[in-house]
Amino acid sequence: MRSQIKPFNGSFFHKDVVSVEQFTERREIDKLFKIARLMKRSVEGKRKRSDLQGYCIAELFYQPSTRTFTSFLSAAQRLGASYIVPLNEMTDTSVAKGESLSDTVRTLEETTAADLIVLRHPEDDAAEKAVFAAKVPIISAGSGKKEHPTQAILDLYTISESFTDLSGLEVTIVGDLKNGRTIRSLSKLLVLVCRGLTLNFVSPKGLEAPEELVAYLKDRKTTVKGFNNLREILPKTDVLYVTRIQKEWFTPEEYLKVKGSYVVDRELMKKAKKKMIVMHPLPRVDEISVDFDNDPRAAYFRQMRNGLYVRMALLALILKRQVK
Ligand code: NCD
């Protein structure tokens, strides 16, 4: 049991991953990405690793997930760990009987002797609650509207694969900036590593980025600009990060009003630079047309694959003192 979330301070060993604010310096990112590249080589070379042989990873997901869930699962397996996955947290576990998150976390720890728990939950502070209840490290796989740290890390990894120099980047984030957790984590992480960053926030009226996030970014010497029209800023954009309207937080009528506000397609992308990338944490609904998928600037498929490498690196670095 821990009473606080520790900053990484140069090492991931036995740390929780709850917020990108745990990163204190660029060196931590470099270390993580070096190991992610090592994992990539193992996966591409079809070599199973044994870093986590004898270890057990438990996944506890209270919200739907495809990418995050399967990539953590595959990451554990590819490192030689076993894994535990309750079938459906809401209906098949004692959550349905009213058990608290803290008790469920403690139960999973005892019954499975898991060495690490990956948690996705609709509440903003769920990961913190789990950390306070658990003996083993907790990785947040998305907490409410607040944080999705591992998504931000894989996003940054994808950006740094495309741009060797991150200074002066112009990043445009479009969509539901009010409710999306990925954009919060990503923009906070970007300010840590990109000097001279410009962040353009494009959203429908009423779905603007929260004021406290904008203040946080501006306090850290980032230029933040708000737009309603994507066309206006697209020609200058190096990274276009598209997000879904977060339907689950809307009434059906409210959702219909904003659905389809932005659609990135081949026609629109004629206005963009030749050397730029389009990203999306996915799932997409209608924000990126499939007619753009084969464009070399479409980075969202390799972005998903990078999730596997980054999550392998994180699991290994959290559970082992040395990863080679
Ligand atoms: C995101 C999430 O769950 O926040 N998905 C993901 O993990 N790739 C984005 C979303 O659901 O829109």
Side-chain angles (χ1 to χ4, degrees):
M1 247 181 271
R2 297 167 297 294
S3 56
Q4 54 164 331
I5 312 292
K6 289 208 179 116
F8 297 130
N9 277 335
S11 166
F12 298 97
F13 188 60
H14 281 185
K15 298 275 170 61
D16 304 288
V17 181
V18 165
S19 165
V20 292
E21 291 183 55
Q22 290 170 265
F23 283 101
T24 53
E25 49 180 346
R26 176 66 206 242
R27 198 164 53 94
E28 293 151 358
I29 301 276
D30 294 341
K31 180 172 174 175
L32 187 56
F33 287 2
K34 188 173 151 224
I35 301 301
R37 287 192 293 272
L38 184 74
M39 297 304 174
K40 180 177 180 176
R41 287 198 293 279
S42 304
V43 172
E44 288 179 345
K46 307 274 175 228
R47 286 187 301 277
K48 186 165 179 181
R49 298 181 57 99
S50 54
D51 307 68
L52 297 187
Q53 203 156 8
Y55 287 71
C56 175
I57 311 292
E59 293 207 80
L60 195 53
F61 276 52
Y62 291 79
Q63 281 182 307
S65 172
T66 305
R67 279 145 287 272
T68 313
F69 182 79
T70 52
S71 60
F72 265 116
L73 200 79
S74 181
Q77 198 176 41
R78 285 170 183 278
L79 292 167
S82 59
Y83 52 85
I84 300 288
V85 182
L87 288 177
N88 180 330
E89 285 69 5
M90 304 311 288
T91 54
D92 301 339
T93 69
S94 289
V95 170
K97 301 179 190 165
E99 187 163 64
S100 69
L101 174 64
S102 305
D103 277 0
T104 303
V105 164
R106 293 183 77 173
T107 302
L108 206 62
E109 247 182 353
E110 298 306 332
T111 58
T112 67
D115 298 285
L116 183 149
I117 298 174
V118 183
L119 173 75
R120 168 169 287 194
H121 200 281
E123 281 172 24
D124 283 0
D125 297 322
E128 277 94 340
K129 264 192 211 159
V131 167
F132 301 153
K135 289 184 288 230
V136 298
I138 300 290
I139 299 183
S140 166
S143 293
K145 299 178 185 178
K146 194 172 162 189
E147 278 266 10
H148 195 344
T150 64
Q151 179 71 41
I153 299 168
L154 76 91
D155 291 342
L156 180 62
Y157 181 88
T158 306
I159 295 172
S160 44
E161 265 188 341
S162 299
F163 298 92
T164 35
D165 182 9
L166 298 185
S167 55
L169 271 192
E170 183 119 6
V171 179
T172 300
I173 305 186
V174 56
D176 179 358
L177 311 184
K178 180 176 172 212
N179 299 302
R181 56 191 170 203
T182 61
I183 74 110
R184 284 177 174 66
S185 295
L186 176 61
S187 48
K188 284 182 184 175
L189 190 58
L190 283 172
V191 296
L192 183 77
V193 292
C194 304
R195 253 179 301 129
L197 173 73
T198 301
L199 271 175
N200 304 308
F201 282 152
V202 186
S203 59
K205 281 215 165 54
L207 298 185
E208 287 86 2
E211 272 169 34
E212 66 273 15
L213 176 68
V214 176
Y216 176 100
L217 302 168
K218 285 187 172 164
D219 276 356
R220 286 159 181 79
K221 298 196 178 73
T222 301
T223 310
V224 184
K225 297 179 193 161
F227 299 87
N228 291 124
N229 189 345
L230 175 59
R231 281 172 193 273
E232 215 178 306
I233 194 64
L234 186 60
K236 290 177 72 189
T237 299
D238 298 306
V239 176
L240 177 63
Y241 193 91
V242 187
T243 65
R244 174 179 73 88
I245 305 285
Q246 307 283 300
K247 189 178 177 185
E248 54 275 40
W249 305 105
F250 290 78
T251 62
E253 303 79 55
E254 276 171 356
Y255 178 67
L256 282 179
K257 276 192 227 151
V258 280
K259 184 182 174 299
S261 297
Y262 301 99
V263 178
V264 172
D265 58 14
R266 251 195 349 223
E267 191 51 38
L268 176 76
M269 289 306 291
K270 287 183 182 155
K271 305 217 163 3
K273 290 183 185 178
K274 289 267 172 301
K275 188 182 165 356
M276 57 85 72
I277 55 170
V278 178
M279 299 174 67
H280 193 312
L282 301 174
R284 68 175 151 186
V285 182
D286 50 13
E287 336 50 80
I288 302 184
S289 162
V290 288
D291 77 6
F292 184 67
D293 289 356
N294 292 328
D295 190 293
R297 295 169 294 180
Y300 32 95
F301 291 105
R302 58 177 189 272
Q303 181 184 353
M304 283 192 271
R305 173 60 68 89
N306 288 338
L308 172 64
Y309 309 141
V310 162
R311 288 173 175 133
M312 284 175 79
L314 265 178
L315 290 178
L317 285 166
I318 292 172
L319 291 173
K320 297 304 280 271
R321 210 176 269 284
Q322 282 253 311
V323 182
K324 280 193 279 216

